[in-house]
Amino acid sequence: GLVTGSGEPTATINLIRKRANSTGLTGSAGVSAGSWNNYRQEVDVSSPLSAEGTIRGRIAAAHYDRDSFIDRYGQEKSSLYATVESDVTENTLVRAGVEIADTKSRGSINTNAAPYYFADGSKINASRGYTGMTAKWSGWPLDEETYFVGLDHGFDNGWHLNSIVTYNTIHMQGGDLFFLYPGSATQPIEYFNRDGSSTLGFSYSAIIGSSKDVQKTFDVTLQGPYELFGRTHDLIFSYNNFNRERTSYGFEANQAAVPLTGWNGFTWTGDVARYPFKDLGRSNLGITESDGGFVATRVSLADPLKLILGARLTNWETNSRNYDPKTGAYIPPKTNAAPSNHKLDGEVTPYAGLVYDVTENIALYTSYTDAFVVQNNYDANDNLINPIVGESYEIGAKGEFIDGLLNVSFAYFENEKDNLAILDPAYPVNYKTPANNTPYISSGKGNKAKGYELEVSGQLSENWNIYGGVSRTTTENNAGVRINTDIPQTMFNLYSTYGFSGTWEKLTLGGGINWQSEYSVMSRRPSGAPRNANGALPTVAEKRVQSSVMLANVMARYDLNDYWSVSFNANNLFDEEYFSSISSGDGSVTWGDPANYRVSVKYRW
């Protein structure tokens, strides 16, 4: 909440880019091969670019090409990262870099849900690899480029300035997507008959047109110490700005050019001619902008006790404009349309925390923060539902043991999320408002999540590493009824590696387990009753439960010498069959990965 303002009241992940080093030429290169034709090559090199090491660079590149256990799905990706930095003075560092990624998905991940029910309501029992309905030539190309420039400066009084500007583009091509589904455009939810046919026939989908995102961000932070009442404290100021322009393009696709007669969901092999598809001009321009800043201080109340206080001020705005993709003319919104511009000014996000050092190795802490999430949902009168507001409370302990080699932490937390948009039960499922919106209402106050986390990581001895954690989260609405049932409440993982000594000193063995508790989804199953006048199948609600799952993984690495190493990894060792997700609509399922293996060779210098 303090760092970004808008977001879920949970956690953030801090990603750090690779940096160049000044210690000489260093690097690594590796290749790997695994299940389902999974091949990968990578190289990472860093070196000083001047005799003194004040200018240095790093370049990393990778390429992989892999198939999947899922019919006609795979992915190929090439990526390049390059950065250079220079010590302009003893206290000033300038850095710049570029990241380029070219991803080509074969098939479509959106169609990897396997059907679960026949039209008569019985279970299909399809194999884990079956999805069946994607064309062999189908794909989803995605190109991304990122450029950044940063400046870091340290002042003589202990203060430090960090700033970075980032420019990012993401281009997504939608025209290569092609998959079949049973049913028509007017009746999209349909189920296979037992022979793989569809009573309503088949339709195809390109899912989306092409789009291009242009994102610009600017972040600057100033932090350092100050003296007050005879003690030293810390102060931080930060400002960031985010701007994204998303251009969506119209397209033409001639469905009549690809006859869909006589097709079968169980026997089709993905062979189909490419259908006529053409990108047109832009059909929509969506602009989202957020800017704001925060100030926080870490006050030393006593040697073992620190108080952290902070607040953020955020402005957020989004605007959407429609265009005729053939002529480029702006299309004004209809008089009864919902507003396309949403704006929040001066949203305040507070933060407060206490840290108490019980000993040199153990600290207790407690904290409070909140966050907000803008919702693009409307009520029955086409008024925008107010943002979600979430509060988060946490209390915990952190410790260092075995001379700082082993870290242990425990936290208990409670999150409250108010004003969550839920479907308005006063209207039928397919009802649309005058502005063509699905009506929602606010869930009000009191949607709560609470739970705990325990984590252990580090070294138990010189040769023995360990990582383990358990977390449990329960969620309830303001009536005390469990929500988010499609998410496991409890998760546990434990991993360990051991490097041998003596004769086997070049061998490292490891293994671990991931365990999650059961989850459930209310899906729709055909009732077996005759079709209605529109040809639709009547369905009934059915509770589907994925029982608890434990996955075992093992690894081995052997260092051939100081430069070369060979490693082996096996995931889902006992080939557990489980669903990673279950649809609440037609009841289709997405399978978790079966047992898979990978062998890698790496060279370091």
Side-chain angles (χ1 to χ4, degrees), residues 54-364:
T54 55
I55 304 176
R56 47 203 175 269
R58 185 168 183 171
I59 186 169
H63 175 82
Y64 69 74
D65 192 341
R66 64 190 183 201
D67 293 326
S68 169
F69 71 95
I70 297 169
D71 291 345
R72 295 184 295 280
Y73 179 73
Q75 190 177 81
E76 181 179 4
K77 182 175 183 177
S78 300
S79 58
L80 174 69
Y81 171 80
T83 184
V84 63
E85 57 185 51
S86 173
D87 299 322
V88 180
T89 70
E90 289 186 357
N91 297 328
T92 305
L93 170 72
V94 176
R95 52 196 169 99
V98 57
E99 304 169 46
I100 300 174
D102 179 11
T103 306
K104 293 181 175 65
S105 295
R106 297 184 292 273
S108 171
I109 197 68
N110 294 59
T111 65
N112 287 349
Y116 191 82
Y117 297 115
F118 283 118
D120 62 7
S122 60
K123 185 179 174 182
I124 289 181
N125 288 318
S127 68
R128 277 186 285 186
Y130 174 77
T131 54
M133 307 305 286
T134 306
K136 285 183 178 179
W137 54 263
S138 183
W140 199 343
L142 181 70
D143 298 318
E144 183 171 5
E145 297 181 6
T146 301
Y147 305 89
F148 63 89
V149 177
L151 172 69
D152 300 341
H153 179 76
F155 298 92
D156 294 336
N157 59 0
W159 280 69
H160 203 96
L161 175 73
N162 300 91
S163 60
I164 189 167
V165 178
T166 304
Y167 179 86
N168 170 262
T169 63
I170 303 174
H171 183 249
M172 185 165 56
Q173 174 61 51
D176 287 343
L177 287 172
F178 182 98
F179 68 90
L180 291 173
Y181 58 87
S184 64
T186 57
Q187 186 62 55
I189 298 180
E190 173 67 355
Y191 298 85
F192 289 124
N193 297 320
R194 282 185 167 273
D195 62 357
S197 65
S198 169
T199 300
L200 297 180
F202 289 92
S203 294
Y204 83 85
S205 176
I207 302 185
I208 57 171
S210 301
S211 67
K212 183 177 182 179
D213 284 9
V214 177
Q215 299 179 167
K216 292 167 283 189
T217 62
F218 170 68
D219 294 88
V220 59
T221 300
L222 178 65
Q223 57 185 325
Y226 66 96
E227 301 290 330
L228 187 64
F229 302 124
R231 305 189 68 86
T232 302
H233 317 278
D234 298 300
L235 187 63
I236 180 171
F237 300 94
S238 182
Y239 170 81
N240 50 56
N241 178 277
F242 168 83
N243 178 281
R244 181 185 67 197
E245 295 185 1
R246 172 168 294 173
T247 303
S248 300
Y249 298 93
F251 62 91
E252 291 179 344
N254 184 6
Q255 180 173 355
V258 184
L260 303 181
T261 58
W263 290 20
N264 185 288
F266 295 155
T267 61
W268 187 50
T269 59
D271 293 302
V272 63
R274 285 181 176 266
Y275 60 96
F277 182 96
K278 182 174 68 174
D279 272 325
L280 303 176
R282 67 177 178 179
S283 60
N284 178 270
L285 175 62
I287 301 175
T288 300
E289 184 168 8
S290 174
D291 76 286
F294 71 86
V295 58
T297 182
R298 179 184 172 100
V299 181
S300 176
L301 301 178
D303 288 344
L305 183 63
K306 306 294 187 297
L307 170 67
I308 305 171
L309 294 174
R312 176 184 178 85
L313 191 67
T314 304
N315 302 313
W316 183 93
E317 183 175 6
T318 182
N319 191 4
S320 179
R321 298 169 62 89
N322 294 320
Y323 298 86
D324 186 320
K326 293 183 178 180
T327 66
Y330 169 65
I331 302 176
K334 297 179 181 179
T335 55
N336 63 342
S340 59
N341 185 65
H342 314 307
K343 188 175 183 180
L344 290 174
D345 286 325
E347 189 76 23
V348 178
T349 303
Y351 179 89
L354 277 173
V355 180
Y356 179 71
D357 294 325
V358 181
T359 68
E360 290 184 357
N361 300 326
I362 299 175
L364 303 177

Side-chain angles (χ1 to χ4, degrees), residues 267-541:
T267 61
W268 187 50
T269 59
D271 293 302
V272 63
R274 285 181 176 266
Y275 60 96
F277 182 96
K278 182 174 68 174
D279 272 325
L280 303 176
R282 67 177 178 179
S283 60
N284 178 270
L285 175 62
I287 301 175
T288 300
E289 184 168 8
S290 174
D291 76 286
F294 71 86
V295 58
T297 182
R298 179 184 172 100
V299 181
S300 176
L301 301 178
D303 288 344
L305 183 63
K306 306 294 187 297
L307 170 67
I308 305 171
L309 294 174
R312 176 184 178 85
L313 191 67
T314 304
N315 302 313
W316 183 93
E317 183 175 6
T318 182
N319 191 4
S320 179
R321 298 169 62 89
N322 294 320
Y323 298 86
D324 186 320
K326 293 183 178 180
T327 66
Y330 169 65
I331 302 176
K334 297 179 181 179
T335 55
N336 63 342
S340 59
N341 185 65
H342 314 307
K343 188 175 183 180
L344 290 174
D345 286 325
E347 189 76 23
V348 178
T349 303
Y351 179 89
L354 277 173
V355 180
Y356 179 71
D357 294 325
V358 181
T359 68
E360 290 184 357
N361 300 326
I362 299 175
L364 303 177
Y365 72 91
T366 184
S367 67
Y368 162 84
T369 188
D370 66 22
F372 69 94
V373 181
V374 178
Q375 303 182 94
N376 191 27
N377 302 105
Y378 298 85
D379 63 18
N381 297 316
D382 289 314
N383 296 314
L384 189 69
I385 300 291
N386 289 329
I388 298 170
V389 177
E391 297 179 336
S392 181
Y393 306 84
E394 185 171 327
I395 185 170
K398 297 187 178 185
E400 287 183 345
F401 304 94
I402 315 179
D403 296 327
L405 297 178
L406 185 68
N407 296 295
V408 180
S409 64
F410 174 81
Y412 174 82
F413 58 87
E414 290 191 5
N415 299 328
E416 182 171 322
K417 186 183 290 187
D418 300 334
N419 211 39
L420 183 68
I422 59 175
L423 289 172
D424 191 335
Y427 295 88
V429 174
N430 296 324
Y431 176 82
K432 295 294 184 180
T433 67
N436 200 36
N437 291 304
T438 299
Y440 285 81
I441 59 172
S442 169
S443 63
K445 294 182 176 294
N447 298 294
K448 293 184 178 181
K450 58 183 179 181
Y452 62 84
E453 292 180 337
L454 173 64
E455 189 172 282
V456 179
S457 63
Q459 292 181 254
L460 296 175
S461 68
E462 183 178 353
N463 298 342
W464 189 6
N465 291 301
I466 188 172
Y467 171 80
V470 60
S471 64
R472 178 171 175 81
T473 305
T474 58
T475 54
E476 297 178 345
N477 63 16
N478 49 18
V481 178
R482 181 186 171 187
I483 57 177
N484 298 333
T485 61
D486 58 337
I487 300 174
Q489 287 188 325
T490 306
M491 305 185 75
F492 171 78
N493 57 73
L494 178 65
Y495 282 83
S496 183
T497 61
Y498 188 83
F500 291 84
S501 303
T503 305
W504 295 97
E505 65 179 354
K506 296 182 178 181
L507 177 65
T508 300
L509 296 179
I513 58 172
N514 289 328
W515 179 88
Q516 67 179 39
S517 61
E518 70 174 30
Y519 70 86
S520 65
V521 174
M522 292 300 295
S523 66
R524 307 299 302 181
R525 175 178 61 82
S527 65
R531 295 175 181 269
N532 61 27
N534 296 324
L537 281 168
T539 61
V540 294

